[in-house]
Amino acid sequence: MTQTLDTSTPPPATEQDLLPGDILLMLSSGQLSTLIAWCGDSIYSHAAIVADQGDLIEAAASGVRRYPLAKRLVDTTEIVLIDAYRPLAHDGSALDEADRKRVLDKAESMIGIPYPVDALAFLGVVVAVRGKWPQNWLARIVVREALDHLIQDNPSHMICSEVVYRALAECDAQPVGRLAPRIVMTGPTHLPFPKIDAKALLEEVWGLLHPQRQQALAAIRTHLQTDPKAATPPLQGAPADAALRERANTVRDRLGLSVLPITASVDDAGALLEEASAETPARAIPHPNPKLVMPLDLASSPSHTQIGRLLQADTVQ
């Protein structure tokens, strides 16, 4: 079963349409966020949950935190789009006030938890879970660095969509898990590979690299500074599929996932897919690992209904 991602523009929504416990899915600005969204078969690169007192709760570089919702809704420098979703109980009914308080209490209990997964490491998680990497030469190098970055650090750290999933799944609702979003693993969404500014992508990634990796990639940086639209890499070239698969499998092993099959890759809109393919049937995941829940899973969950679009910057593609 092939999933076709609905990329039509949702109806407009405002802050007044939101309730505590609602889900916010976002696309951050920058080339790396664009790559994260595409590798995740989604239009989103970040997730948060609506709190009370005009705040949202999210995982940020400083850890899980509260952040002013009104400030986020006008931040077109850092955010490209924000869509709102409303969680439903397993019987399809709306959450009542007591359930929303339970969700908020759980989200608040996570405030302060460290969030050492930077955007580069998050890309590594997305690539490993979805089994998808691009054909573009520089994007492949960035994916390799993301996987190595994650392997060197810790792939088990909390990611943004985990905060949202756990707030719903692990709140004090009875029976236990009554508000857990139903997660359905799907095949590729066939989004075309986005236009990537290669020089800007590498500059964005540069500050996240360990010094020895900066030294190793210095020639590529010089190459792009000389020719920002270079269609081919310098002599060291882009990593082969086997090298990316090996790294992805190392991350998957640490996350408790099976290895990616060693089969011919499926060419899909500029991607090399090692696991998902056009024939991959959608399948429900009864008890998903919260660390493996992606923004796509939250958007496509039958437990969530879309409210509308809160923000769309002029730069969204």
Side-chain angles (χ1 to χ4, degrees):
M1 175 180 175
T2 301
Q3 180 185 9
T4 302
L5 186 68
D6 183 5
T7 56
S8 60
T9 302
T14 68
E15 184 177 353
Q16 286 67 43
D17 296 318
L18 302 178
L19 295 170
D22 286 344
I23 298 164
L24 303 178
L25 298 180
M26 315 174 204
L27 175 63
S28 301
S29 61
Q31 305 301 304
L32 187 53
S33 291
T34 299
L35 188 57
I36 288 170
W38 181 83
C39 287
D41 281 308
S42 176
I43 59 172
Y44 306 116
S45 63
H46 187 58
I49 195 160
V50 177
D52 56 1
Q53 302 176 29
D55 288 340
L56 57 81
I57 293 176
E58 65 179 351
S62 59
V64 180
R65 66 175 184 179
R66 276 182 175 263
Y67 188 84
L69 178 57
K71 186 175 180 180
R72 177 60 51 82
L73 293 179
V74 296
D75 188 3
T76 54
T77 301
E78 297 293 332
I79 304 296
V80 175
L81 64 84
I82 304 175
D83 288 341
Y85 290 78
R86 179 148 294 159
L88 305 173
H90 280 190
D91 62 2
S93 62
L95 274 59
D96 59 24
E97 186 175 348
D99 279 342
R100 291 184 178 280
K101 184 178 185 306
R102 293 182 179 101
V103 172
L104 179 56
D105 287 347
K106 178 59 184 179
E108 286 190 310
S109 75
M110 291 184 277
I111 291 176
I113 292 178
Y115 178 66
V117 176
D118 58 31
L120 188 59
F122 185 36
L123 173 62
V125 174
V126 170
V127 167
V129 171
R130 293 297 296 176
K132 173 180 177 178
W133 46 80
Q135 294 176 346
N136 175 276
W137 71 269
L138 180 66
R140 289 171 73 90
I141 290 173
V142 170
V143 164
R144 179 193 64 197
E145 296 302 317
L147 291 167
D148 284 348
H149 190 68
L150 190 61
I151 291 167
Q152 183 170 340
D153 293 328
N154 186 345
S156 66
H157 288 312
M158 184 174 289
I159 62 175
C160 60
S161 37
E162 178 185 354
V163 174
V164 174
Y165 179 83
R166 289 183 60 193
L168 290 155
E170 299 176 7
C171 69
D172 188 24
Q174 298 299 323
V176 174
R178 177 168 59 86
L179 302 183
R182 287 176 288 171
I183 300 300
V184 178
M185 182 64 71
T186 61
T189 51
H190 304 294
L191 288 169
F193 189 73
K195 294 180 180 178
I196 294 288
D197 183 326
K199 182 175 181 291
L201 173 60
L202 187 58
E203 289 304 311
E204 188 177 345
V205 168
W206 197 257
L208 302 175
L209 296 173
H210 296 294
Q212 62 269 31
R213 294 310 304 159
Q214 291 180 345
Q215 183 176 1
L217 296 176
I220 291 176
R221 192 185 194 196
T222 301
H223 182 64
L224 286 173
Q225 288 172 340
T226 303
D227 182 6
K229 297 183 179 180
T232 57
L235 293 178
Q236 57 262 58
D241 291 342
L244 295 178
R245 185 190 304 115
E246 180 181 4
R247 288 168 167 84
N249 279 331
T250 298
V251 173
R252 288 173 69 90
D253 179 65
R254 295 187 185 182
L255 292 172
L257 295 173
S258 60
V259 299
L260 293 168
I262 304 176
T263 57
S265 300
V266 179
D267 187 2
D268 175 62
L272 294 173
L273 303 176
E274 289 294 335
E275 183 175 48
S277 73
E279 302 304 320
T280 300
R283 61 188 189 278
I285 309 297
H287 302 289
N289 181 342
K291 297 184 182 302
L292 306 182
V293 174
M294 300 283 107
L296 171 67
D297 301 321
L298 297 174
S300 58
S301 171
S303 301
H304 303 151
T305 182
Q306 191 175 63
I307 299 171
R309 180 153 294 175
L310 295 159
L311 170 69
Q312 179 165 331
D314 293 338
T315 55
V316 67
Q317 296 181 356

